[in-house]
């Protein structure tokens, strides 16, 4: 008696097919990684606070002090001394007020253009401080006497006798610039990433 012959063909095994095991996880594509949020609102908030602080302190000093009047805060280390500065820091470029005004306006425009694509909180804080300080001194250049583009900046903070008198806007610009330099040195990019290339090469 002859046995029945099966006509079914064996199933082909595909070696390139791979059933993922429970421990396997698919690699994330660049499109699946969520983009970091833009930090322009944070930049503008920091700038607004710095700008308001500068305007407020200048208004108080101008309303309550006479030119070149000096008030001791901490002995002779910290004093309030009202002066009108036509130049830059350290009384430089006193005859080029109009040029300093244009430079301040250029800084404001440049920071705003960078801020539109900014995704780093640290960079937003640093640039916000620079923007707020630049706006504070630019406001003096535009609206204080002797006239537009020639206005003298109100300075009133005196720290020791050898350091020039400055204001809150100057402090914001310096602090913001120091923060931006530190972020650059440690590899923090404006897009929120960190450049570790130098660290890996040195390892």
């Amino acid at each position: 008696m002859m046995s029945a012959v099966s006509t079914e063909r064996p199933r082909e095994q595909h070696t390139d097919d791979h059933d993922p095991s429970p421990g396997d996880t698919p690699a994330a594509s660049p499109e699946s990684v969520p983009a970091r949020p833009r930090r322009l609102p944070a930049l503008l908030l920091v700038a607004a606070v710095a700008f308001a602080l500068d305007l407020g302190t200048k208004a108080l000093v101008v309303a309550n002090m006479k030119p070149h009047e000096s008030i001791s805060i901490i002995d002779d280390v910290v004093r309030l001394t009202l002066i009108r500065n036509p130049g830059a820091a350290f009384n430089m470029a006193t005859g080029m007020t109009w040029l300093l005004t244009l430079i301040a306006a250029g800084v404001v425009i440049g920071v705003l253009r960078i801020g539109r694509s900014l995704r780093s909180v640290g960079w937003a804080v640093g640039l916000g401080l620079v923007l707020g300080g630049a706006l504070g001194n630019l406001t003096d250049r535009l609206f204080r006497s002797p006239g537009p583009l020639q206005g003298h900046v109100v300075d009133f903070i005196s720290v020791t006798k050898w350091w020039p008198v400055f204001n809150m806007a100057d402090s914001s610009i310096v602090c913001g610039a120091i923060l931006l330099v530190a972020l650059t040195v440690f590899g923090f990019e404006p897009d929120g990433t960190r450049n570790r290339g130098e660290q890996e090469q040195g390892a």
Side-chain angles (χ1 to χ4, degrees):
M1 184 176 182
M2 299 180 59
S3 59
V5 178
S6 175
T7 59
E8 295 182 359
R9 303 177 65 180
R11 295 182 179 178
E12 296 182 357
Q13 296 182 354
H14 298 280
T15 57
D16 55 345
D17 290 343
H18 175 68
D19 294 331
S21 60
D24 293 340
T25 55
S29 61
E31 292 78 5
S32 64
V33 178
R36 296 175 183 269
R38 297 184 185 275
R39 301 299 182 181
L40 181 59
L43 186 155
L44 295 178
L45 177 60
V46 173
V49 172
F51 181 54
L53 184 61
D54 180 65
L55 289 185
T57 52
K58 286 176 179 175
L60 287 174
V61 169
V62 170
N64 295 281
M65 295 183 64
K66 297 179 181 179
H68 301 288
E69 179 183 356
S70 184
I71 300 175
S72 176
I73 303 299
I74 304 177
D75 297 331
D76 287 335
V77 179
V78 180
R79 304 180 67 88
L80 297 181
T81 303
L82 175 59
I83 66 171
R84 302 296 182 109
N85 183 10
F90 300 96
N91 291 322
M92 295 186 300
T94 55
M96 304 182 68
T97 307
W98 64 271
L99 179 59
L100 297 174
T101 304
L102 296 179
I103 292 174
V107 170
V108 171
I109 295 173
V111 170
L112 290 175
R113 291 188 63 179
I114 296 174
R116 291 186 302 176
S117 59
L118 201 65
R119 298 185 185 275
S120 167
V121 175
W123 277 81
V125 173
L127 289 175
L129 290 172
V130 172
L131 176 60
L135 284 172
N137 285 338
L138 180 61
T139 300
D140 285 357
R141 305 281 187 196
L142 293 176
F143 299 106
R144 294 192 185 274
S145 61
L149 299 182
Q150 300 292 330
H152 294 180
V153 173
V154 174
D155 290 333
F156 58 91
I157 304 174
S158 177
V159 181
T160 71
K161 296 180 179 180
W162 53 271
W163 194 259
V165 183
F166 59 96
N167 55 38
M168 295 303 297
D170 298 330
S171 300
S172 297
I173 294 173
V174 171
C175 291
I178 292 175
L179 177 57
L180 294 177
V181 170
L183 291 171
T184 302
V185 169
F186 289 102
F188 292 96
E189 302 292 339
D191 61 0
T193 60
R194 186 176 183 184
N195 184 6
R196 300 178 180 270
E198 297 182 357
Q199 299 179 0
E200 292 176 357
Q201 291 177 6

